[in-house]
């Protein structure tokens, strides 16, 4: 029996610029669905009529794998994994690969200008080759091809061309926004907007798994202007979440297998790992949304999100909550919108005051999932988060790039990806410099470093996210601090001047010691000076007082 087939690898590139080039949320939502459709929808459509191991249900935009295999069931193609901008497929012959590449390229040029597709394939013998080595070789081959691809420039139009209001490309049509205002839009924007119905199907796959979501009849924000409250807080949080060391975990798949005997077992493990990675991210997103819903408070039919307990764990009563930040939920529209999901990474946007709390909830849930790696006991994924809190009219592409960069910083804080971790930046006046320059110029002072972040979510010996939360809660609602709002704001500025100035400020203002949890109490004089070993332990919390609302049930 001939066991020679062709292993095909596809990668979608140019995603970030394509997704986030607009400051219109509807356009970005459609763009996200379009990118996901390239692997989750287009490939299946182009292979329709062929004998493959996947069924696609258009009504709910879901893929299901059968137990058919190419060497036994005479398949034309066996999809090993698909989604998240990548695909690995085993083909019976080269001709079908060329047809797929041509079809994908043509459709991308028409509907997704700016996206680049890079693919490679190689012949493999399932009965003789080491498929783990072949897969690694194919990935190296694709990397070389990708590095040689030249970026294509769009035709910018003529001097008399009208411009798209979102992309500045030549306009090709008129689109009426949700307010029924006519807008000139380009071909690219028109294509993105056409995918909004599919985006709703993808999102429905999440909300259908959320306990009670349908009964509550909630929707999601669809306009950046709807986030926040004018005169109170008009900030969004862009939250980028990803799994750590996923590439390393993929490399380790099948390391104890006996090749070529276990080639089929290896293919199935690749698929199981891919599906479990997507499930872990989906389950964490579902749990995050459920926690958001449970945190809502009801005041005679008006819903809102606000801190419920003080640092001592006592329930706050309404008079005590009058000065605390609060997010109002208007007309059953949640201040939250998943934007990129369906793979092993997630990006969502939300009101700037709940971004950190939502990131925390996602990471906690993500860390309770398990990945299929062919070993027992199964191990949980380890996530990281980058949270960019920015004005809601700030260029979205730059905000996302910041969130992604912060996610990279978080990985370093989590022992190079072995611990749950997060980092954040609050851009109160916008961001005009690279993050590293901002932190050097604004958060480094003569007496040391103002920032403790990035931080582990928990398990740190001295300071982690739970410490940050304790300090924020204490300044916001502890009995000895809640009536001293102006003093707390002044303390924020004094922290820049070092421990001696802080100590004098506390004494002269007849203020209580700075809040310390069990971890901080071991640090000498910290509650009197706020600094230890040229590190300020309180600036992160003081900066975030108006930008942190915990999600509490």
């Amino acid at each position: 029996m001939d066991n020679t087939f062709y292993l095909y690898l596809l990668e979608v590139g140019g995603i970030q610029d394509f997704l986030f080039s607009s400051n219109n949320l509807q356009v970005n939502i459609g763009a996200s669905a379009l990118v996901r459709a390239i692997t989750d929808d287009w490939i299946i459509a182009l292979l329709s009529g062929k004998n493959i191991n996947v069924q696609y249900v258009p009504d709910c935009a879901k893929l299901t794998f059968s137990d058919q295999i190419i060497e036994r069931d005479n398949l034309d193609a066996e999809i090993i994994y698909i989604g998240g901008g990548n695909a690995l497929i085993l083909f019976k012959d080269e001709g079908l690969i060329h047809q797929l590449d041509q079809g994908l390229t043509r459709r991308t040029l028409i509907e997704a200008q700016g996206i680049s597709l890079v693919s490679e394939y190689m012949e493999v013998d399932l009965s003789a080759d080491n498929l783990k080595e072949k897969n690694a070789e194919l990935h190296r081959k694709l990397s070389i091809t990708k590095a040689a691809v030249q970026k294509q420039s769009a035709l910018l139009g003529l001097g008399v061309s009208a411009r798209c209001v979102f992309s500045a490309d030549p306009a090709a049509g008129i689109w009426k926004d949700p307010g029924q205002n006519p807008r000139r839009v380009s071909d690219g924007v028109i294509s993105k907007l056409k995918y909004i119905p599919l985006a709703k199907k993808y999102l429905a796959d999440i909300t259908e798994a959320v306990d009670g979501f349908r009964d509550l009849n909630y929707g999601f924000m669809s306009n950046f202007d709807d986030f926040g409250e004018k005169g109170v807080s008009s900030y969004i949080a862009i939250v980028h979440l990803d799994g750590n060391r996923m590439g390393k975990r993929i490399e380790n798949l099948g390391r104890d297998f006996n090749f070529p005997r276990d080639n089929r077992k290896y293919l199935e493990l690749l698929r199981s790992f891919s599906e479990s990675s997507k499930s872990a991210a989906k389950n964490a997103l579902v749990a995050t949304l459920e926690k958001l819903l449970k945190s809502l408070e009801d005041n005679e039919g008006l819903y809102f999100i606000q801190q419920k307990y003080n640092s001592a764990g006592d329930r706050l009563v309404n008079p005590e909550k009058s000065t605390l930040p609060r997010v109002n939920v208007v007309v059953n529209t949640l201040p939250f919108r998943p934007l990129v999901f369906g793979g092993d990474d997630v990006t969502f946007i939300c009101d700037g005051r709940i971004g950190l709390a939502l990131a925390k909830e996602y990471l906690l849930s993500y860390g309770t999932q398990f990945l299929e790696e062919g070993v027992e006991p199964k191990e949980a994924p380890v996530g990281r988060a980058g949270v960019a809190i920015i004005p809601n009219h700030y260029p979205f592409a730059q905000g996302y790039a910041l969130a992604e960069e912060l996610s990279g910083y978080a990985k370093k804080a989590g022992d190079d990806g072995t611990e749950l971790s997060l980092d954040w930046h609050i851009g109160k006046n916008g961001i005009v410099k690279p993050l590293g320059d901002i932190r050097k110029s604004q958060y480094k002072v003569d007496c040391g470093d103002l920032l403790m972040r990035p931080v582990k979510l928990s398990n740190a010996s001295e300071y982690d996210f739970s410490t940050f939360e304790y300090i924020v809660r204490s300044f916001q609602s502890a009995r000895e601090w809640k009536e001293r709002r102006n003093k707390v704001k002044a303390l924020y500025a004094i922290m820049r001047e070092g421990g001696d100035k802080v100590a004098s400020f506390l004494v002269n203002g007849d203020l209580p010691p700075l809040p310390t949890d069990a971890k901080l109490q071991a640090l000498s004089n910290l509650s009197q000076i706020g600094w230890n070993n040229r590190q300020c332990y309180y600036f992160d919390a003081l900066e975030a007082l108006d930008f942190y609302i915990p999600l509490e049930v």
Side-chain angles (χ1 to χ4, degrees), residues 19-55:
L19 287 185
F20 307 124
S21 59
S22 170
N23 255 35
N24 181 279
L25 184 53
Q26 289 283 298
V27 176
N28 293 341
I29 289 168
S32 176
L34 198 164
V35 168
R36 180 172 171 180
I38 293 173
T39 51
D40 290 25
D41 183 280
W42 293 7
I43 289 177
I44 305 303
L46 289 166
L47 293 176
S48 64
K50 304 298 181 182
N51 192 13
I52 62 175
N53 64 320
V54 168
Q55 291 182 333

Short mmCIF file of all heavy atoms in Angstrom, two decimals, residues 19-55:
data_model
loop_
_atom_site.label_atom_id
_atom_site.label_comp_id
_atom_site.label_asym_id
_atom_site.label_seq_id
_atom_site.Cartn_x
_atom_site.Cartn_y
_atom_site.Cartn_z
N LEU A 19 -6.28 43.97 10.87
CA LEU A 19 -7.35 43.99 11.86
C LEU A 19 -7.58 45.36 12.46
O LEU A 19 -8.72 45.77 12.69
CB LEU A 19 -7.03 43.02 13.00
CG LEU A 19 -7.15 41.53 12.75
CD1 LEU A 19 -6.91 40.77 14.04
CD2 LEU A 19 -8.52 41.17 12.21
N PHE A 20 -6.49 46.08 12.75
CA PHE A 20 -6.61 47.22 13.64
C PHE A 20 -6.25 48.55 12.99
O PHE A 20 -5.89 49.50 13.66
CB PHE A 20 -5.74 46.99 14.88
CG PHE A 20 -6.03 45.68 15.57
CD1 PHE A 20 -5.04 44.75 15.79
CD2 PHE A 20 -7.32 45.38 15.97
CE1 PHE A 20 -5.32 43.55 16.42
CE2 PHE A 20 -7.61 44.18 16.60
CZ PHE A 20 -6.61 43.26 16.83
N SER A 21 -6.37 48.62 11.68
CA SER A 21 -6.00 49.85 10.98
C SER A 21 -7.09 50.92 11.07
O SER A 21 -6.87 52.06 10.67
CB SER A 21 -5.71 49.54 9.50
OG SER A 21 -6.86 48.96 8.88
N SER A 22 -8.25 50.56 11.60
CA SER A 22 -9.36 51.51 11.67
C SER A 22 -9.70 51.84 13.11
O SER A 22 -9.51 51.02 14.01
CB SER A 22 -10.60 50.90 10.99
OG SER A 22 -11.75 51.69 11.23
N ASN A 23 -10.22 53.04 13.32
CA ASN A 23 -10.74 53.42 14.64
C ASN A 23 -12.26 53.28 14.70
O ASN A 23 -12.89 53.88 15.56
CB ASN A 23 -10.33 54.86 14.99
CG ASN A 23 -9.21 54.89 16.01
OD1 ASN A 23 -8.33 54.04 16.01
ND2 ASN A 23 -9.24 55.88 16.89
N ASN A 24 -12.80 52.47 13.79
CA ASN A 24 -14.22 52.15 13.83
C ASN A 24 -14.37 50.71 14.29
O ASN A 24 -13.84 49.78 13.65
CB ASN A 24 -14.85 52.33 12.45
CG ASN A 24 -16.34 52.03 12.45
OD1 ASN A 24 -16.74 50.87 12.38
ND2 ASN A 24 -17.15 53.08 12.52
N LEU A 25 -15.05 50.50 15.40
CA LEU A 25 -15.13 49.16 15.99
C LEU A 25 -15.85 48.18 15.07
O LEU A 25 -15.48 47.00 15.00
CB LEU A 25 -15.83 49.24 17.35
CG LEU A 25 -15.92 47.94 18.14
CD1 LEU A 25 -14.56 47.28 18.29
CD2 LEU A 25 -16.54 48.21 19.51
N GLN A 26 -16.87 48.63 14.35
CA GLN A 26 -17.58 47.74 13.43
C GLN A 26 -16.64 47.20 12.36
O GLN A 26 -16.68 46.01 12.02
CB GLN A 26 -18.74 48.50 12.76
CG GLN A 26 -19.90 48.81 13.69
CD GLN A 26 -20.77 47.59 13.95
OE1 GLN A 26 -21.35 47.03 13.02
NE2 GLN A 26 -20.82 47.16 15.19
N VAL A 27 -15.79 48.06 11.83
CA VAL A 27 -14.82 47.63 10.81
C VAL A 27 -13.85 46.62 11.40
O VAL A 27 -13.54 45.60 10.77
CB VAL A 27 -14.07 48.85 10.23
CG1 VAL A 27 -12.99 48.39 9.26
CG2 VAL A 27 -15.03 49.80 9.54
N ASN A 28 -13.39 46.86 12.62
CA ASN A 28 -12.45 45.94 13.25
C ASN A 28 -13.10 44.59 13.56
O ASN A 28 -12.45 43.54 13.42
CB ASN A 28 -11.91 46.55 14.55
CG ASN A 28 -11.05 47.77 14.30
OD1 ASN A 28 -10.55 47.97 13.21
ND2 ASN A 28 -10.88 48.60 15.31
N ILE A 29 -14.36 44.61 13.95
CA ILE A 29 -15.08 43.36 14.22
C ILE A 29 -15.20 42.54 12.94
O ILE A 29 -14.96 41.33 12.92
CB ILE A 29 -16.47 43.68 14.81
CG1 ILE A 29 -16.34 44.21 16.24
CG2 ILE A 29 -17.37 42.44 14.77
CD1 ILE A 29 -17.61 44.81 16.78
N GLY A 30 -15.57 43.21 11.84
CA GLY A 30 -15.67 42.50 10.56
C GLY A 30 -14.33 41.98 10.09
O GLY A 30 -14.23 40.86 9.56
N ALA A 31 -13.27 42.77 10.29
CA ALA A 31 -11.93 42.35 9.88
C ALA A 31 -11.49 41.11 10.64
O ALA A 31 -10.89 40.19 10.07
CB ALA A 31 -10.94 43.49 10.11
N SER A 32 -11.79 41.06 11.94
CA SER A 32 -11.42 39.91 12.74
C SER A 32 -12.11 38.64 12.24
O SER A 32 -11.50 37.57 12.13
CB SER A 32 -11.78 40.16 14.21
OG SER A 32 -11.52 39.03 15.00
N ALA A 33 -13.40 38.76 11.93
CA ALA A 33 -14.14 37.61 11.41
C ALA A 33 -13.60 37.18 10.05
O ALA A 33 -13.51 35.98 9.76
CB ALA A 33 -15.63 37.95 11.31
N LEU A 34 -13.22 38.15 9.22
CA LEU A 34 -12.70 37.83 7.89
C LEU A 34 -11.40 37.03 8.01
O LEU A 34 -11.21 36.02 7.32
CB LEU A 34 -12.47 39.12 7.10
CG LEU A 34 -12.34 39.02 5.58
CD1 LEU A 34 -12.53 40.40 4.94
CD2 LEU A 34 -10.99 38.46 5.16
N VAL A 35 -10.50 37.47 8.89
CA VAL A 35 -9.23 36.76 9.06
C VAL A 35 -9.47 35.35 9.56
O VAL A 35 -8.85 34.38 9.07
CB VAL A 35 -8.30 37.54 10.03
CG1 VAL A 35 -7.12 36.68 10.43
CG2 VAL A 35 -7.82 38.82 9.37
N ARG A 36 -10.36 35.20 10.51
CA ARG A 36 -10.65 33.86 11.02
C ARG A 36 -11.27 32.99 9.93
O ARG A 36 -11.00 31.78 9.85
CB ARG A 36 -11.60 33.97 12.21
CG ARG A 36 -11.98 32.63 12.82
CD ARG A 36 -12.76 32.80 14.10
NE ARG A 36 -13.30 31.53 14.56
CZ ARG A 36 -14.04 31.38 15.66
NH1 ARG A 36 -14.30 32.44 16.42
NH2 ARG A 36 -14.50 30.19 16.00
N ALA A 37 -12.07 33.60 9.06
CA ALA A 37 -12.75 32.84 8.01
C ALA A 37 -11.77 32.25 7.00
O ALA A 37 -12.07 31.23 6.37
CB ALA A 37 -13.76 33.73 7.28
N ILE A 38 -10.60 32.87 6.83
CA ILE A 38 -9.64 32.37 5.84
C ILE A 38 -9.30 30.92 6.11
O ILE A 38 -9.29 30.07 5.20
CB ILE A 38 -8.37 33.25 5.84
CG1 ILE A 38 -8.70 34.65 5.32
CG2 ILE A 38 -7.27 32.61 4.96
CD1 ILE A 38 -7.54 35.63 5.43
N THR A 39 -9.04 30.59 7.38
CA THR A 39 -8.73 29.19 7.71
C THR A 39 -9.98 28.41 8.09
O THR A 39 -10.15 27.26 7.67
CB THR A 39 -7.71 29.13 8.87
OG1 THR A 39 -8.16 29.95 9.96
CG2 THR A 39 -6.35 29.60 8.41
N ASP A 40 -10.88 29.01 8.86
CA ASP A 40 -12.02 28.25 9.38
C ASP A 40 -13.13 28.05 8.36
O ASP A 40 -13.96 27.15 8.53
CB ASP A 40 -12.62 28.98 10.59
CG ASP A 40 -11.72 28.93 11.81
OD1 ASP A 40 -10.50 28.80 11.63
OD2 ASP A 40 -12.23 29.05 12.94
N ASP A 41 -13.15 28.88 7.31
CA ASP A 41 -14.28 28.85 6.38
C ASP A 41 -13.83 28.65 4.93
O ASP A 41 -14.31 27.77 4.23
CB ASP A 41 -15.08 30.16 6.53
CG ASP A 41 -16.32 30.20 5.67
OD1 ASP A 41 -16.19 30.48 4.46
OD2 ASP A 41 -17.41 29.92 6.18
N TRP A 42 -12.88 29.51 4.49
CA TRP A 42 -12.50 29.47 3.07
C TRP A 42 -11.88 28.13 2.67
O TRP A 42 -12.17 27.61 1.58
CB TRP A 42 -11.51 30.59 2.76
CG TRP A 42 -12.08 31.96 2.87
CD1 TRP A 42 -13.32 32.33 3.32
CD2 TRP A 42 -11.40 33.18 2.53
NE1 TRP A 42 -13.46 33.69 3.29
CE2 TRP A 42 -12.30 34.24 2.80
CE3 TRP A 42 -10.14 33.48 2.03
CZ2 TRP A 42 -11.96 35.58 2.58
CZ3 TRP A 42 -9.80 34.81 1.80
CH2 TRP A 42 -10.71 35.84 2.08
N ILE A 43 -10.99 27.61 3.51
CA ILE A 43 -10.34 26.35 3.16
C ILE A 43 -11.37 25.24 2.98
O ILE A 43 -11.32 24.46 2.01
CB ILE A 43 -9.29 25.96 4.22
CG1 ILE A 43 -8.08 26.89 4.14
CG2 ILE A 43 -8.85 24.51 4.06
CD1 ILE A 43 -7.03 26.64 5.20
N ILE A 44 -12.32 25.17 3.91
CA ILE A 44 -13.36 24.14 3.81
C ILE A 44 -14.20 24.34 2.56
O ILE A 44 -14.56 23.38 1.87
CB ILE A 44 -14.25 24.16 5.07
CG1 ILE A 44 -13.40 24.02 6.33
CG2 ILE A 44 -15.29 23.05 5.00
CD1 ILE A 44 -12.55 22.79 6.37
N ALA A 45 -14.52 25.61 2.24
CA ALA A 45 -15.32 25.89 1.05
C ALA A 45 -14.58 25.49 -0.22
O ALA A 45 -15.19 24.93 -1.15
CB ALA A 45 -15.67 27.38 1.01
N LEU A 46 -13.29 25.75 -0.27
CA LEU A 46 -12.51 25.41 -1.46
C LEU A 46 -12.29 23.91 -1.60
O LEU A 46 -12.01 23.41 -2.70
CB LEU A 46 -11.15 26.13 -1.43
CG LEU A 46 -11.22 27.64 -1.67
CD1 LEU A 46 -9.92 28.32 -1.27
CD2 LEU A 46 -11.54 27.94 -3.13
N LEU A 47 -12.41 23.18 -0.49
CA LEU A 47 -12.28 21.72 -0.54
C LEU A 47 -13.64 21.03 -0.60
O LEU A 47 -13.72 19.80 -0.50
CB LEU A 47 -11.51 21.22 0.68
CG LEU A 47 -10.02 21.62 0.76
CD1 LEU A 47 -9.42 21.13 2.07
CD2 LEU A 47 -9.24 21.08 -0.43
N SER A 48 -14.70 21.81 -0.76
CA SER A 48 -16.04 21.22 -0.85
C SER A 48 -16.11 20.31 -2.08
O SER A 48 -15.57 20.62 -3.14
CB SER A 48 -17.12 22.30 -0.93
OG SER A 48 -16.97 23.06 -2.11
N GLY A 49 -16.79 19.22 -1.94
CA GLY A 49 -16.86 18.24 -3.01
C GLY A 49 -15.74 17.23 -2.95
O GLY A 49 -15.78 16.21 -3.66
N LYS A 50 -14.74 17.47 -2.13
CA LYS A 50 -13.65 16.53 -1.94
C LYS A 50 -13.92 15.69 -0.69
O LYS A 50 -14.68 16.09 0.19
CB LYS A 50 -12.31 17.27 -1.80
CG LYS A 50 -11.98 18.20 -2.95
CD LYS A 50 -11.85 17.45 -4.27
CE LYS A 50 -11.50 18.40 -5.41
NZ LYS A 50 -11.41 17.69 -6.72
N ASN A 51 -13.27 14.56 -0.63
CA ASN A 51 -13.43 13.67 0.52
C ASN A 51 -12.46 14.10 1.61
O ASN A 51 -11.25 13.86 1.51
CB ASN A 51 -13.17 12.23 0.09
CG ASN A 51 -13.60 11.22 1.14
OD1 ASN A 51 -14.31 11.58 2.10
ND2 ASN A 51 -13.18 9.98 0.98
N ILE A 52 -12.95 14.78 2.64
CA ILE A 52 -12.10 15.26 3.72
C ILE A 52 -12.68 14.83 5.07
O ILE A 52 -13.78 14.30 5.13
CB ILE A 52 -11.93 16.80 3.69
CG1 ILE A 52 -13.29 17.51 3.87
CG2 ILE A 52 -11.28 17.24 2.39
CD1 ILE A 52 -13.18 19.02 3.97
N ASN A 53 -11.95 15.06 6.13
CA ASN A 53 -12.31 14.56 7.46
C ASN A 53 -12.97 15.61 8.35
O ASN A 53 -13.03 15.47 9.56
CB ASN A 53 -11.07 14.02 8.18
CG ASN A 53 -10.05 15.12 8.46
OD1 ASN A 53 -9.82 15.99 7.62
ND2 ASN A 53 -9.41 15.07 9.63
N VAL A 54 -13.48 16.69 7.74
CA VAL A 54 -14.07 17.78 8.50
C VAL A 54 -15.43 18.12 7.93
O VAL A 54 -15.62 18.15 6.71
CB VAL A 54 -13.16 19.03 8.48
CG1 VAL A 54 -13.89 20.25 9.02
CG2 VAL A 54 -11.91 18.79 9.31
N GLN A 55 -16.37 18.39 8.81
CA GLN A 55 -17.67 18.90 8.41
C GLN A 55 -17.82 20.32 8.94
O GLN A 55 -17.43 20.61 10.07
CB GLN A 55 -18.79 18.02 8.97
CG GLN A 55 -18.88 16.65 8.34
CD GLN A 55 -20.04 15.85 8.89
OE1 GLN A 55 -20.47 16.05 10.01
NE2 GLN A 55 -20.56 14.93 8.08
#
